[in-house]
Amino acid sequence: SYGLHTSTGILFNHESERRGFEFVTRKISQSVAMIKLKKQKFLELGNLDAQRDWGYAPEYVQAMWLMLQQDHLEDYVIATGKTTSVREFISFCCAELEIDLRWEGEGEFEKGFDQKTNKLIIEVSKDYYRPAEVDILIGSSEKAKKQLGWEAKTDVKSLASIMVSFDRKRLA
């Protein structure tokens, strides 16, 4: 008889250069790259204050593999334990492409300008606000660290760099 080995992994947002464009991190990395390459004028987004626990997908795959190597069934949370706002993620992408971003206004009236050209490149639109927005999502992977020896190694600034650099090369 065959036994079924099952573990549950609760994976917080895991992002990479392969993520679909309908996800905010990829929408940002692609749009900022297009703005840098003068293929897009600006990017519209919703709540810039939303905070997420974003990690690098290949590391999360490693965590899944480690779960399956265990003798006992367990449930694990896979996360970085750190949050970053949408606004900060945009700023990291812009900095990687040497766009000096300046923020003005607040809430739905907030805008991001290219400091060098004074052109509007980020605009908030109520159309992109989620009706049931969760303000902050953060996970604790202490159990995974203790039992699997796993922890996130790629910080979100490096993740933004990986993603926006990939999109710039792909679009150039």
Side-chain angles (χ1 to χ4, degrees), residues 12-73:
F12 275 68
N13 299 62
H14 43 294
E15 313 295 324
S16 84
E17 62 277 19
R18 292 192 169 101
R19 187 74 141 143
F21 297 112
E22 66 275 16
F23 293 93
V24 73
T25 52
R26 196 67 197 288
K27 180 179 179 180
I28 293 166
S29 69
Q30 174 179 260
S31 294
V32 170
M34 289 179 69
I35 289 166
K36 179 67 176 182
L37 296 167
K38 298 180 178 22
K39 294 182 178 189
Q40 181 175 327
K41 291 188 181 200
F42 65 92
L43 167 62
E44 280 187 302
L45 291 166
N47 182 6
L48 301 181
D49 292 318
Q51 296 181 49
R52 297 294 179 262
D53 184 333
W54 283 309
Y56 191 37
E59 293 174 3
Y60 285 50
V61 172
Q62 175 68 18
M64 289 184 268
W65 182 84
L66 288 168
M67 284 181 222
L68 296 174
Q69 307 313 304
Q70 304 308 301
D71 293 332
H72 303 291
L73 308 178

Short mmCIF file of all heavy atoms in Angstrom, two decimals, residues 12-73:
data_model
loop_
_atom_site.label_atom_id
_atom_site.label_comp_id
_atom_site.label_asym_id
_atom_site.label_seq_id
_atom_site.Cartn_x
_atom_site.Cartn_y
_atom_site.Cartn_z
N PHE A 12 3.06 33.14 1.69
CA PHE A 12 2.72 34.54 1.49
C PHE A 12 3.20 34.95 0.09
O PHE A 12 3.84 34.18 -0.60
CB PHE A 12 3.34 35.39 2.60
CG PHE A 12 2.47 35.43 3.83
CD1 PHE A 12 2.28 34.28 4.59
CD2 PHE A 12 1.81 36.59 4.18
CE1 PHE A 12 1.46 34.29 5.69
CE2 PHE A 12 0.97 36.61 5.29
CZ PHE A 12 0.79 35.46 6.05
N ASN A 13 2.84 36.17 -0.31
CA ASN A 13 3.12 36.61 -1.68
C ASN A 13 4.53 36.28 -2.12
O ASN A 13 5.49 36.78 -1.54
CB ASN A 13 2.90 38.12 -1.80
CG ASN A 13 1.48 38.52 -1.49
OD1 ASN A 13 1.01 38.31 -0.38
ND2 ASN A 13 0.81 39.09 -2.45
N HIS A 14 4.64 35.43 -3.12
CA HIS A 14 5.95 35.08 -3.66
C HIS A 14 6.00 35.56 -5.10
O HIS A 14 5.18 35.20 -5.92
CB HIS A 14 6.25 33.58 -3.52
CG HIS A 14 5.13 32.67 -3.85
ND1 HIS A 14 3.97 32.62 -3.12
CD2 HIS A 14 4.99 31.77 -4.85
CE1 HIS A 14 3.16 31.72 -3.65
NE2 HIS A 14 3.73 31.20 -4.70
N GLU A 15 6.95 36.41 -5.36
CA GLU A 15 7.04 37.16 -6.61
C GLU A 15 8.31 36.81 -7.36
O GLU A 15 9.29 36.38 -6.77
CB GLU A 15 7.05 38.66 -6.31
CG GLU A 15 6.01 39.14 -5.33
CD GLU A 15 4.58 38.99 -5.82
OE1 GLU A 15 4.34 39.18 -7.03
OE2 GLU A 15 3.71 38.71 -5.00
N SER A 16 8.27 37.03 -8.67
CA SER A 16 9.48 36.87 -9.48
C SER A 16 9.24 37.53 -10.84
O SER A 16 8.15 38.01 -11.13
CB SER A 16 9.84 35.39 -9.68
OG SER A 16 9.11 34.82 -10.75
N GLU A 17 10.27 37.49 -11.65
CA GLU A 17 10.18 38.04 -13.01
C GLU A 17 9.25 37.22 -13.90
O GLU A 17 8.93 37.62 -15.00
CB GLU A 17 11.59 38.15 -13.62
CG GLU A 17 12.32 36.85 -13.78
CD GLU A 17 13.05 36.35 -12.53
OE1 GLU A 17 12.76 36.79 -11.40
OE2 GLU A 17 13.93 35.49 -12.71
N ARG A 18 8.77 36.09 -13.41
CA ARG A 18 7.84 35.24 -14.17
C ARG A 18 6.39 35.44 -13.74
O ARG A 18 5.50 34.82 -14.27
CB ARG A 18 8.24 33.79 -14.01
CG ARG A 18 9.55 33.47 -14.69
CD ARG A 18 9.78 31.97 -14.77
NE ARG A 18 10.88 31.69 -15.64
CZ ARG A 18 12.11 31.40 -15.23
NH1 ARG A 18 12.37 31.35 -13.93
NH2 ARG A 18 13.07 31.16 -16.09
N ARG A 19 6.15 36.27 -12.78
CA ARG A 19 4.81 36.53 -12.25
C ARG A 19 3.96 37.15 -13.34
O ARG A 19 4.45 37.89 -14.19
CB ARG A 19 4.94 37.48 -11.06
CG ARG A 19 3.67 37.73 -10.29
CD ARG A 19 3.30 36.53 -9.47
NE ARG A 19 2.79 36.90 -8.17
CZ ARG A 19 1.81 36.25 -7.58
NH1 ARG A 19 1.25 35.21 -8.14
NH2 ARG A 19 1.40 36.63 -6.40
N GLY A 20 2.66 36.90 -13.31
CA GLY A 20 1.74 37.48 -14.30
C GLY A 20 1.61 38.99 -14.15
O GLY A 20 1.77 39.52 -13.06
N PHE A 21 1.31 39.64 -15.23
CA PHE A 21 1.23 41.11 -15.24
C PHE A 21 0.01 41.64 -14.51
O PHE A 21 -0.10 42.84 -14.28
CB PHE A 21 1.28 41.63 -16.67
CG PHE A 21 2.56 41.31 -17.38
CD1 PHE A 21 2.58 40.41 -18.43
CD2 PHE A 21 3.75 41.88 -16.95
CE1 PHE A 21 3.77 40.10 -19.06
CE2 PHE A 21 4.94 41.58 -17.57
CZ PHE A 21 4.95 40.69 -18.64
N GLU A 22 -0.92 40.76 -14.15
CA GLU A 22 -2.10 41.20 -13.41
C GLU A 22 -1.80 41.39 -11.92
O GLU A 22 -2.62 41.91 -11.18
CB GLU A 22 -3.27 40.22 -13.59
CG GLU A 22 -3.05 38.84 -13.00
CD GLU A 22 -2.31 37.86 -13.91
OE1 GLU A 22 -1.68 38.28 -14.91
OE2 GLU A 22 -2.35 36.67 -13.61
N PHE A 23 -0.60 40.98 -11.49
CA PHE A 23 -0.20 41.16 -10.10
C PHE A 23 0.56 42.48 -9.95
O PHE A 23 1.35 42.85 -10.82
CB PHE A 23 0.67 39.98 -9.63
CG PHE A 23 -0.12 38.70 -9.57
CD1 PHE A 23 -0.15 37.84 -10.65
CD2 PHE A 23 -0.85 38.38 -8.43
CE1 PHE A 23 -0.89 36.67 -10.61
CE2 PHE A 23 -1.59 37.21 -8.38
CZ PHE A 23 -1.62 36.35 -9.48
N VAL A 24 0.33 43.18 -8.84
CA VAL A 24 0.81 44.55 -8.71
C VAL A 24 2.33 44.68 -8.83
O VAL A 24 2.82 45.63 -9.45
CB VAL A 24 0.27 45.22 -7.42
CG1 VAL A 24 0.94 44.67 -6.17
CG2 VAL A 24 0.43 46.73 -7.50
N THR A 25 3.10 43.74 -8.27
CA THR A 25 4.56 43.88 -8.35
C THR A 25 5.03 43.83 -9.80
O THR A 25 5.90 44.59 -10.21
CB THR A 25 5.28 42.78 -7.56
OG1 THR A 25 4.78 41.50 -7.98
CG2 THR A 25 5.10 42.97 -6.07
N ARG A 26 4.45 42.95 -10.57
CA ARG A 26 4.85 42.80 -11.98
C ARG A 26 4.31 43.95 -12.82
O ARG A 26 4.97 44.43 -13.74
CB ARG A 26 4.38 41.46 -12.52
CG ARG A 26 5.07 41.08 -13.81
CD ARG A 26 6.58 40.83 -13.59
NE ARG A 26 7.31 40.86 -14.82
CZ ARG A 26 7.26 39.91 -15.75
NH1 ARG A 26 6.54 38.84 -15.57
NH2 ARG A 26 7.96 40.04 -16.86
N LYS A 27 3.11 44.41 -12.49
CA LYS A 27 2.56 45.58 -13.18
C LYS A 27 3.50 46.77 -12.97
O LYS A 27 3.78 47.52 -13.89
CB LYS A 27 1.16 45.89 -12.62
CG LYS A 27 0.50 47.08 -13.27
CD LYS A 27 -0.90 47.29 -12.69
CE LYS A 27 -1.58 48.48 -13.31
NZ LYS A 27 -2.91 48.72 -12.77
N ILE A 28 4.00 46.91 -11.74
CA ILE A 28 4.91 48.01 -11.42
C ILE A 28 6.24 47.84 -12.15
O ILE A 28 6.72 48.76 -12.80
CB ILE A 28 5.14 48.11 -9.89
CG1 ILE A 28 3.86 48.54 -9.19
CG2 ILE A 28 6.30 49.05 -9.58
CD1 ILE A 28 3.86 48.34 -7.68
N SER A 29 6.85 46.65 -12.05
CA SER A 29 8.18 46.47 -12.67
C SER A 29 8.12 46.68 -14.18
O SER A 29 8.98 47.33 -14.75
CB SER A 29 8.77 45.10 -12.32
OG SER A 29 8.09 44.04 -12.91
N GLN A 30 7.09 46.14 -14.81
CA GLN A 30 6.98 46.32 -16.27
C GLN A 30 6.70 47.78 -16.63
O GLN A 30 7.34 48.33 -17.54
CB GLN A 30 5.86 45.44 -16.84
CG GLN A 30 5.64 45.72 -18.32
CD GLN A 30 4.58 44.87 -18.94
OE1 GLN A 30 4.92 43.90 -19.59
NE2 GLN A 30 3.33 45.21 -18.75
N SER A 31 5.78 48.41 -15.93
CA SER A 31 5.42 49.80 -16.26
C SER A 31 6.57 50.77 -16.02
O SER A 31 6.82 51.66 -16.83
CB SER A 31 4.19 50.24 -15.45
OG SER A 31 3.06 49.48 -15.85
N VAL A 32 7.28 50.60 -14.91
CA VAL A 32 8.43 51.49 -14.64
C VAL A 32 9.50 51.29 -15.71
O VAL A 32 10.09 52.27 -16.19
CB VAL A 32 8.97 51.26 -13.21
CG1 VAL A 32 10.29 51.98 -13.01
CG2 VAL A 32 7.96 51.72 -12.18
N ALA A 33 9.73 50.06 -16.13
CA ALA A 33 10.70 49.80 -17.21
C ALA A 33 10.24 50.46 -18.51
O ALA A 33 11.03 51.07 -19.22
CB ALA A 33 10.89 48.30 -17.41
N MET A 34 8.93 50.37 -18.79
CA MET A 34 8.41 50.99 -20.01
C MET A 34 8.50 52.52 -19.94
O MET A 34 8.79 53.17 -20.94
CB MET A 34 6.98 50.52 -20.26
CG MET A 34 6.93 49.06 -20.71
SD MET A 34 5.26 48.43 -21.00
CE MET A 34 4.80 49.34 -22.45
N ILE A 35 8.25 53.07 -18.76
CA ILE A 35 8.38 54.53 -18.58
C ILE A 35 9.83 54.94 -18.82
O ILE A 35 10.10 55.92 -19.52
CB ILE A 35 7.88 54.95 -17.18
CG1 ILE A 35 6.36 54.80 -17.11
CG2 ILE A 35 8.32 56.37 -16.84
CD1 ILE A 35 5.78 54.87 -15.70
N LYS A 36 10.77 54.19 -18.27
CA LYS A 36 12.20 54.49 -18.46
C LYS A 36 12.57 54.45 -19.95
O LYS A 36 13.36 55.27 -20.43
CB LYS A 36 13.05 53.49 -17.67
CG LYS A 36 14.54 53.70 -17.81
CD LYS A 36 15.00 54.99 -17.19
CE LYS A 36 16.51 55.14 -17.25
NZ LYS A 36 16.97 56.37 -16.60
N LEU A 37 11.99 53.49 -20.67
CA LEU A 37 12.28 53.32 -22.10
C LEU A 37 11.41 54.21 -23.00
O LEU A 37 11.44 54.08 -24.21
CB LEU A 37 12.12 51.85 -22.49
CG LEU A 37 13.09 50.88 -21.82
CD1 LEU A 37 12.65 49.44 -22.03
CD2 LEU A 37 14.51 51.10 -22.32
N LYS A 38 10.62 55.08 -22.36
CA LYS A 38 9.73 56.01 -23.08
C LYS A 38 8.69 55.28 -23.93
O LYS A 38 8.27 55.77 -24.99
CB LYS A 38 10.53 57.01 -23.91
CG LYS A 38 11.43 57.90 -23.07
CD LYS A 38 12.21 58.88 -23.91
CE LYS A 38 13.10 59.82 -23.17
NZ LYS A 38 13.58 59.57 -21.89
N LYS A 39 8.24 54.12 -23.47
CA LYS A 39 7.20 53.34 -24.15
C LYS A 39 5.85 53.46 -23.44
O LYS A 39 4.86 52.92 -23.90
CB LYS A 39 7.61 51.86 -24.23
CG LYS A 39 8.83 51.63 -25.10
CD LYS A 39 9.16 50.15 -25.19
CE LYS A 39 10.35 49.94 -26.11
NZ LYS A 39 10.57 48.53 -26.40
N GLN A 40 5.84 54.14 -22.30
CA GLN A 40 4.63 54.36 -21.52
C GLN A 40 4.81 55.68 -20.79
O GLN A 40 5.92 56.00 -20.35
CB GLN A 40 4.44 53.20 -20.52
CG GLN A 40 3.20 53.29 -19.68
CD GLN A 40 3.02 52.04 -18.80
OE1 GLN A 40 3.38 50.93 -19.19
NE2 GLN A 40 2.46 52.22 -17.62
N LYS A 41 3.72 56.46 -20.67
CA LYS A 41 3.84 57.78 -20.03
C LYS A 41 3.74 57.70 -18.52
O LYS A 41 4.51 58.33 -17.82
CB LYS A 41 2.78 58.72 -20.58
CG LYS A 41 3.06 59.08 -22.03
CD LYS A 41 2.15 60.14 -22.53
CE LYS A 41 2.51 60.39 -23.98
NZ LYS A 41 2.09 61.63 -24.50
N PHE A 42 2.75 56.97 -18.00
CA PHE A 42 2.57 56.89 -16.55
C PHE A 42 1.88 55.60 -16.17
O PHE A 42 1.38 54.87 -17.03
CB PHE A 42 1.81 58.12 -16.02
CG PHE A 42 0.39 58.22 -16.52
CD1 PHE A 42 -0.65 57.66 -15.80
CD2 PHE A 42 0.10 58.87 -17.71
CE1 PHE A 42 -1.96 57.75 -16.25
CE2 PHE A 42 -1.20 58.96 -18.18
CZ PHE A 42 -2.24 58.40 -17.45
N LEU A 43 1.84 55.34 -14.88
CA LEU A 43 1.25 54.14 -14.32
C LEU A 43 0.16 54.55 -13.34
O LEU A 43 0.38 55.40 -12.48
CB LEU A 43 2.32 53.32 -13.58
CG LEU A 43 1.86 52.19 -12.66
CD1 LEU A 43 1.12 51.11 -13.44
CD2 LEU A 43 3.06 51.60 -11.94
N GLU A 44 -1.03 53.94 -13.47
CA GLU A 44 -2.12 54.17 -12.53
C GLU A 44 -2.23 52.98 -11.60
O GLU A 44 -2.23 51.83 -12.05
CB GLU A 44 -3.45 54.32 -13.27
CG GLU A 44 -3.70 55.67 -13.86
CD GLU A 44 -5.10 55.77 -14.42
OE1 GLU A 44 -5.44 54.96 -15.30
OE2 GLU A 44 -5.85 56.66 -13.98
N LEU A 45 -2.34 53.26 -10.31
CA LEU A 45 -2.48 52.22 -9.30
C LEU A 45 -3.51 52.64 -8.27
O LEU A 45 -3.93 53.80 -8.24
CB LEU A 45 -1.14 51.98 -8.59
CG LEU A 45 -0.04 51.34 -9.42
CD1 LEU A 45 1.29 51.48 -8.73
CD2 LEU A 45 -0.35 49.88 -9.69
N GLY A 46 -3.85 51.70 -7.39
CA GLY A 46 -4.79 51.98 -6.30
C GLY A 46 -4.07 52.40 -5.05
O GLY A 46 -3.20 53.27 -5.07
N ASN A 47 -4.37 51.74 -3.95
CA ASN A 47 -3.86 52.10 -2.63
C ASN A 47 -2.36 51.89 -2.51
O ASN A 47 -1.88 50.77 -2.45
CB ASN A 47 -4.60 51.26 -1.58
CG ASN A 47 -4.20 51.58 -0.17
OD1 ASN A 47 -3.45 52.52 0.09
ND2 ASN A 47 -4.70 50.79 0.76
N LEU A 48 -1.61 52.97 -2.43
CA LEU A 48 -0.15 52.90 -2.31
C LEU A 48 0.30 52.55 -0.90
O LEU A 48 1.46 52.20 -0.69
CB LEU A 48 0.49 54.22 -2.74
CG LEU A 48 0.20 54.70 -4.16
CD1 LEU A 48 0.94 56.01 -4.43
CD2 LEU A 48 0.56 53.66 -5.19
N ASP A 49 -0.63 52.65 0.05
CA ASP A 49 -0.28 52.36 1.44
C ASP A 49 -0.42 50.88 1.80
O ASP A 49 0.03 50.47 2.87
CB ASP A 49 -1.17 53.18 2.39
CG ASP A 49 -0.87 54.66 2.31
OD1 ASP A 49 0.32 55.01 2.25
OD2 ASP A 49 -1.82 55.47 2.28
N ALA A 50 -1.03 50.08 0.94
CA ALA A 50 -1.19 48.65 1.21
C ALA A 50 0.19 48.04 1.41
O ALA A 50 1.13 48.34 0.67
CB ALA A 50 -1.91 47.96 0.06
N GLN A 51 0.32 47.21 2.45
CA GLN A 51 1.61 46.59 2.77
C GLN A 51 1.50 45.07 2.61
O GLN A 51 0.55 44.47 3.06
CB GLN A 51 2.01 46.92 4.20
CG GLN A 51 2.26 48.40 4.41
CD GLN A 51 2.68 48.69 5.83
OE1 GLN A 51 3.56 48.03 6.36
NE2 GLN A 51 2.04 49.66 6.45
N ARG A 52 2.52 44.51 1.98
CA ARG A 52 2.55 43.07 1.74
C ARG A 52 3.89 42.50 2.18
O ARG A 52 4.91 43.18 2.21
CB ARG A 52 2.32 42.76 0.26
CG ARG A 52 0.96 43.20 -0.27
CD ARG A 52 -0.15 42.41 0.37
NE ARG A 52 -1.46 42.81 -0.09
CZ ARG A 52 -2.27 43.66 0.55
NH1 ARG A 52 -1.89 44.22 1.68
NH2 ARG A 52 -3.46 43.95 0.07
N ASP A 53 3.85 41.22 2.45
CA ASP A 53 5.03 40.43 2.79
C ASP A 53 5.44 39.75 1.48
O ASP A 53 4.94 38.68 1.14
CB ASP A 53 4.65 39.41 3.87
CG ASP A 53 5.82 38.61 4.38
OD1 ASP A 53 6.80 38.42 3.63
OD2 ASP A 53 5.76 38.13 5.52
N TRP A 54 6.32 40.41 0.72
CA TRP A 54 6.73 39.91 -0.59
C TRP A 54 8.07 39.19 -0.49
O TRP A 54 9.05 39.74 0.01
CB TRP A 54 6.88 41.07 -1.59
CG TRP A 54 5.59 41.60 -2.12
CD1 TRP A 54 4.56 40.90 -2.67
CD2 TRP A 54 5.20 42.98 -2.20
NE1 TRP A 54 3.56 41.73 -3.06
CE2 TRP A 54 3.92 43.02 -2.79
CE3 TRP A 54 5.81 44.16 -1.82
CZ2 TRP A 54 3.24 44.21 -3.02
CZ3 TRP A 54 5.13 45.35 -2.05
CH2 TRP A 54 3.86 45.37 -2.65
N GLY A 55 8.11 37.97 -1.02
CA GLY A 55 9.34 37.20 -1.05
C GLY A 55 9.63 36.73 -2.47
O GLY A 55 8.81 36.87 -3.37
N TYR A 56 10.80 36.14 -2.64
CA TYR A 56 11.27 35.71 -3.96
C TYR A 56 10.85 34.26 -4.21
O TYR A 56 11.23 33.35 -3.47
CB TYR A 56 12.78 35.88 -4.04
CG TYR A 56 13.37 35.73 -5.42
CD1 TYR A 56 12.71 36.19 -6.55
CD2 TYR A 56 14.62 35.14 -5.59
CE1 TYR A 56 13.27 36.06 -7.81
CE2 TYR A 56 15.19 35.02 -6.85
CZ TYR A 56 14.50 35.48 -7.95
OH TYR A 56 15.04 35.36 -9.20
N ALA A 57 10.07 34.04 -5.26
CA ALA A 57 9.45 32.75 -5.55
C ALA A 57 10.41 31.55 -5.56
O ALA A 57 10.08 30.50 -4.99
CB ALA A 57 8.66 32.83 -6.85
N PRO A 58 11.59 31.64 -6.18
CA PRO A 58 12.48 30.46 -6.17
C PRO A 58 12.84 30.00 -4.75
O PRO A 58 12.99 28.79 -4.52
CB PRO A 58 13.72 30.93 -6.93
CG PRO A 58 13.21 31.99 -7.85
CD PRO A 58 12.13 32.69 -7.05
N GLU A 59 12.94 30.92 -3.83
CA GLU A 59 13.22 30.54 -2.44
C GLU A 59 12.03 29.82 -1.82
O GLU A 59 12.19 28.92 -1.00
CB GLU A 59 13.58 31.78 -1.62
CG GLU A 59 14.90 32.40 -2.05
CD GLU A 59 15.22 33.70 -1.35
OE1 GLU A 59 14.44 34.15 -0.47
OE2 GLU A 59 16.26 34.30 -1.70
N TYR A 60 10.82 30.21 -2.21
CA TYR A 60 9.62 29.56 -1.69
C TYR A 60 9.50 28.14 -2.25
O TYR A 60 9.02 27.24 -1.56
CB TYR A 60 8.39 30.40 -2.02
CG TYR A 60 8.27 31.64 -1.15
CD1 TYR A 60 9.34 32.51 -0.96
CD2 TYR A 60 7.09 31.95 -0.51
CE1 TYR A 60 9.24 33.63 -0.17
CE2 TYR A 60 6.97 33.07 0.29
CZ TYR A 60 8.05 33.91 0.45
OH TYR A 60 7.94 35.02 1.25
N VAL A 61 9.93 27.95 -3.48
CA VAL A 61 9.95 26.60 -4.06
C VAL A 61 10.91 25.71 -3.26
O VAL A 61 10.61 24.54 -2.98
CB VAL A 61 10.32 26.63 -5.56
CG1 VAL A 61 10.53 25.24 -6.11
CG2 VAL A 61 9.25 27.38 -6.34
N GLN A 62 12.04 26.26 -2.87
CA GLN A 62 12.99 25.52 -2.04
C GLN A 62 12.33 25.11 -0.72
O GLN A 62 12.51 23.99 -0.24
CB GLN A 62 14.24 26.37 -1.78
CG GLN A 62 15.24 25.74 -0.83
CD GLN A 62 15.93 24.51 -1.41
OE1 GLN A 62 15.93 24.29 -2.61
NE2 GLN A 62 16.51 23.70 -0.54
N ALA A 63 11.56 26.01 -0.13
CA ALA A 63 10.85 25.70 1.12
C ALA A 63 9.86 24.56 0.91
O ALA A 63 9.75 23.66 1.74
CB ALA A 63 10.13 26.94 1.65
N MET A 64 9.15 24.58 -0.21
CA MET A 64 8.20 23.49 -0.52
C MET A 64 8.93 22.16 -0.63
O MET A 64 8.47 21.13 -0.12
CB MET A 64 7.43 23.80 -1.80
CG MET A 64 6.43 24.92 -1.66
SD MET A 64 5.48 25.17 -3.17
CE MET A 64 6.47 26.40 -3.99
N TRP A 65 10.07 22.17 -1.29
CA TRP A 65 10.85 20.95 -1.43
C TRP A 65 11.30 20.43 -0.06
O TRP A 65 11.21 19.25 0.23
CB TRP A 65 12.07 21.21 -2.33
CG TRP A 65 12.89 19.98 -2.57
CD1 TRP A 65 12.66 19.01 -3.50
CD2 TRP A 65 14.06 19.58 -1.84
NE1 TRP A 65 13.61 18.03 -3.40
CE2 TRP A 65 14.49 18.35 -2.39
CE3 TRP A 65 14.77 20.13 -0.79
CZ2 TRP A 65 15.60 17.68 -1.92
CZ3 TRP A 65 15.89 19.46 -0.32
CH2 TRP A 65 16.29 18.24 -0.89
N LEU A 66 11.75 21.34 0.79
CA LEU A 66 12.18 20.96 2.14
C LEU A 66 11.02 20.36 2.94
O LEU A 66 11.21 19.40 3.70
CB LEU A 66 12.76 22.17 2.88
CG LEU A 66 14.13 22.64 2.42
CD1 LEU A 66 14.46 24.00 3.03
CD2 LEU A 66 15.20 21.61 2.75
N MET A 67 9.82 20.89 2.79
CA MET A 67 8.64 20.34 3.47
C MET A 67 8.44 18.87 3.11
O MET A 67 8.11 18.05 3.97
CB MET A 67 7.38 21.11 3.07
CG MET A 67 7.20 22.44 3.67
SD MET A 67 5.63 23.11 3.05
CE MET A 67 6.14 24.77 2.75
N LEU A 68 8.63 18.58 1.84
CA LEU A 68 8.40 17.22 1.34
C LEU A 68 9.50 16.24 1.74
O LEU A 68 9.35 15.03 1.57
CB LEU A 68 8.21 17.24 -0.17
CG LEU A 68 6.99 18.01 -0.65
CD1 LEU A 68 6.98 18.09 -2.17
CD2 LEU A 68 5.71 17.39 -0.13
N GLN A 69 10.60 16.74 2.26
CA GLN A 69 11.69 15.87 2.68
C GLN A 69 11.53 15.42 4.14
O GLN A 69 12.29 14.58 4.62
CB GLN A 69 13.05 16.58 2.52
CG GLN A 69 13.31 17.14 1.14
CD GLN A 69 12.98 16.18 0.01
OE1 GLN A 69 13.50 15.07 -0.03
NE2 GLN A 69 12.10 16.60 -0.89
N GLN A 70 10.53 15.96 4.84
CA GLN A 70 10.35 15.66 6.26
C GLN A 70 9.67 14.30 6.45
O GLN A 70 8.85 13.89 5.64
CB GLN A 70 9.52 16.76 6.92
CG GLN A 70 10.10 18.16 6.76
CD GLN A 70 11.56 18.26 7.17
OE1 GLN A 70 11.90 17.97 8.31
NE2 GLN A 70 12.42 18.66 6.24
N ASP A 71 9.98 13.65 7.54
CA ASP A 71 9.37 12.36 7.86
C ASP A 71 7.95 12.50 8.39
O ASP A 71 7.13 11.60 8.25
CB ASP A 71 10.21 11.62 8.91
CG ASP A 71 11.57 11.19 8.36
OD1 ASP A 71 11.66 10.97 7.13
OD2 ASP A 71 12.52 11.10 9.15
N HIS A 72 7.66 13.61 9.04
CA HIS A 72 6.34 13.83 9.63
C HIS A 72 5.60 14.94 8.91
O HIS A 72 6.19 15.91 8.46
CB HIS A 72 6.48 14.19 11.12
CG HIS A 72 7.23 13.14 11.90
ND1 HIS A 72 6.71 11.89 12.16
CD2 HIS A 72 8.45 13.15 12.46
CE1 HIS A 72 7.58 11.18 12.84
NE2 HIS A 72 8.67 11.93 13.03
N LEU A 73 4.30 14.77 8.83
CA LEU A 73 3.45 15.78 8.20
C LEU A 73 3.37 17.01 9.08
O LEU A 73 3.18 16.90 10.28
CB LEU A 73 2.04 15.22 7.99
CG LEU A 73 1.94 13.87 7.27
CD1 LEU A 73 0.50 13.44 7.19
CD2 LEU A 73 2.58 13.96 5.91
#
